[in-house]
Amino acid sequence: MDAVQNLPRNHYIGDSSSLTGSLAVVSVLGAAVTFHCVNLAVTLVPVPEKMIKAEDKWRNIATSFVHAMTVGTWSLLCLYRNPETIEDLVNRYNLLGEILVAVAVGYFLYDLVDMFGHKKIKDVWPLVLHHIIVISCFGIALALKKYIYYAVVALLCEVNSIFLHGRQLLHMCDVARESALYVVNSFMNIVTFALFRFGTLLWMSWWLVTNAMNIPLLLVAIAILGLIVMMSVNVVLFIRLLKSDFLKRPSGTKKDILDK
C-alpha cells in the first residue's frame, strides 16, 4: 500500500502488468463473444408467453441485465478499492479498471451488432449513436492509457441499468405494476437514475470544465459531444420512465411506454 501511495501521479497503480495493445483488443473481442454466448444461453430459460414472438428482444434485455449487474458492481468496486484515482482521472489507472473498460467496449460492440441484426436502424438510431460514441471514447482511453478512470466513473451509470433492465424483464414477465417487487424496483429505478446517471454525468461535466486546460482540445471536444448525447438520451429516458410508472396512464393503454 505504501508503494502505491508513493507512485508518481502519472504511474500505473498495482502489482500486475498493464494491458498491452494486443491484450486490450483480445479483451474487447473476448467480452463481445462472451456476451453473445450469454445471449445464446438465455435460450435455456423459458421464454415468457408474451415474448414468444419477440424472443430476440427477450434475450437481448436479459443479456443487458447481466452486463449491468457485472459492470455496475465492478465500477463501484474499482472506485472503492482505488479512491486515489479520483485525484487524477487523466493518468492514474490499474489493471482492474483497464479490463472493466475493455469489457464495456466489448459489450457495446456486441449490442451494436445485435441491433443491426434484429432492429431497423431508423427505430434505434439514438442507441446506435450512443454506442458508437461510447465505444470511441472508451477506445481512446484504452489506446492512450489515459482517462481510464474517467471511463470507470462513466460506467457508474450501469448501476441504474440494473433496475432499468430489471423493470423491462418484469414487464415482459407480466409482473403486476401493483406488486411489491415492481413498486420497489420502480422506486430504486428513480433513485439510482438521479444518483448514478444524472449525478455521474453532472460530475463528469464539472470535472471536464475544471480540467479542460490540461486536456488536448480534440479530446475535450469529443468528451463534450459524448456528454451532450448521454445527457440528452437520459433526459428523454427519465421523462418516459416517469410517465410510464408514476404518472396516470391513459385508460386502455397496454403497451409499455419504454418499449421500442
Side-chain angles (χ1 to χ4, degrees), residues 131-179:
H131 283 20
I132 290 174
I133 288 177
V134 171
I135 290 169
S136 300
C137 291
F138 286 10
I140 289 172
L142 287 172
L144 297 179
K145 293 193 180 297
K146 290 182 179 288
Y147 316 103
I148 293 293
Y149 264 79
Y150 190 68
V152 171
V153 170
L155 289 171
L156 287 174
C157 292
E158 293 303 321
V159 174
N160 168 252
S161 294
I162 296 171
F163 302 99
L164 199 61
H165 294 312
R167 176 196 179 282
Q168 290 178 285
L169 293 176
L170 292 175
H171 179 69
M172 291 176 177
C173 293
D174 270 337
V175 175
R177 291 174 179 266
E178 299 77 17
S179 68

Side-chain angles (χ1 to χ4, degrees), residues 230-246:
M230 293 282 286
M231 186 61 78
S232 300
V233 169
N234 280 290
V235 167
V236 172
L237 183 59
F238 189 70
I239 293 172
R240 295 173 71 185
L241 187 63
L242 286 176
K243 286 182 178 180
S244 179
D245 284 359
F246 294 95

Side-chain angles (χ1 to χ4, degrees), residues 105-233:
V105 173
Y107 165 77
F108 287 116
L109 277 175
Y110 143 78
D111 201 43
L112 196 59
V113 172
D114 191 73
M115 281 192 288
F116 285 147
H118 297 99
K119 301 286 184 182
K120 294 180 179 179
I121 302 305
K122 66 177 182 179
D123 295 333
V124 293
W125 68 265
L127 274 179
V128 171
L129 178 61
H130 166 273
H131 283 20
I132 290 174
I133 288 177
V134 171
I135 290 169
S136 300
C137 291
F138 286 10
I140 289 172
L142 287 172
L144 297 179
K145 293 193 180 297
K146 290 182 179 288
Y147 316 103
I148 293 293
Y149 264 79
Y150 190 68
V152 171
V153 170
L155 289 171
L156 287 174
C157 292
E158 293 303 321
V159 174
N160 168 252
S161 294
I162 296 171
F163 302 99
L164 199 61
H165 294 312
R167 176 196 179 282
Q168 290 178 285
L169 293 176
L170 292 175
H171 179 69
M172 291 176 177
C173 293
D174 270 337
V175 175
R177 291 174 179 266
E178 299 77 17
S179 68
L181 181 59
Y182 195 98
V183 170
V184 169
N185 189 81
S186 294
F187 174 75
M188 292 301 297
N189 212 348
I190 293 298
V191 171
T192 57
F193 206 115
L195 290 176
F196 291 100
R197 284 189 183 268
F198 288 143
T200 296
L201 292 174
L202 288 173
W203 188 90
M204 290 176 67
S205 300
W206 170 82
W207 183 91
L208 184 63
V209 169
T210 57
N211 290 274
M213 296 299 293
N214 302 317
I215 302 172
L217 183 59
L218 177 60
L219 296 183
V220 171
I222 293 173
I224 290 174
L225 174 62
L227 287 169
I228 290 174
V229 171
M230 293 282 286
M231 186 61 78
S232 300
V233 169

